Every structure is written in C-alpha cells, then in structure tokens.
C-alpha cells in the first residue's frame, strides 16, 4: 500500500495529499482517493442498512 492511499484511507482530502506528496496538482491525489471514497460510501451504506433493518 502506498502513502497516498494510506492518507486517503485516513480521510485526508486531495489537496492535502497532493501537498504532502509534493504534487503540483491534485490529479494523482484524486487517483489515490478514489478507492478510499468508495470504501467510505460502502461503509455508510452498510451502516444505514443496519440501522434501518435493526
């Protein structure tokens, strides 16, 4: 696992990740954040489902 992915999983935004990695744009950080955002969305959906169904 690379540092950008770890930072994204920890919830850091693309601008912060890009700055930390020394990138001029957030394009690479967005790439790293894509999977983290998907994981977060799935976690929210599971939590909502569990609350609804008990």
């Amino acid at each position: 696992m690379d540092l950008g992915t770890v930072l994204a999983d920890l919830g850091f935004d693309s601008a912060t990740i890009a700055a930390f990695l020394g990138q001029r744009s957030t394009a690479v950080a967005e790439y790293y954040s894509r999977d983290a955002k998907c994981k977060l969305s799935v976690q929210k959906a599971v939590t909502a489902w569990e609350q609804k169904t008990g």
Side-chain angles (χ1 to χ4, degrees):
M1 185 175 287
D2 55 68
L3 181 57
T5 302
V6 171
L7 293 171
D9 283 340
L10 290 171
F12 290 98
D13 61 52
S14 296
T16 302
I17 295 169
F20 192 88
L21 297 176
Q23 302 293 322
R24 291 184 182 182
S25 75
T26 59
V28 173
E30 284 294 328
Y31 171 80
Y32 291 127
S33 298
R34 185 184 62 214
D35 287 340
K37 288 177 184 176
C38 183
K39 289 177 193 175
L40 182 59
S41 293
V42 169
Q43 288 172 344
K44 286 180 179 180
V46 169
T47 299
W49 175 257
E50 288 173 343
Q51 289 175 348
K52 183 167 180 87
T53 61

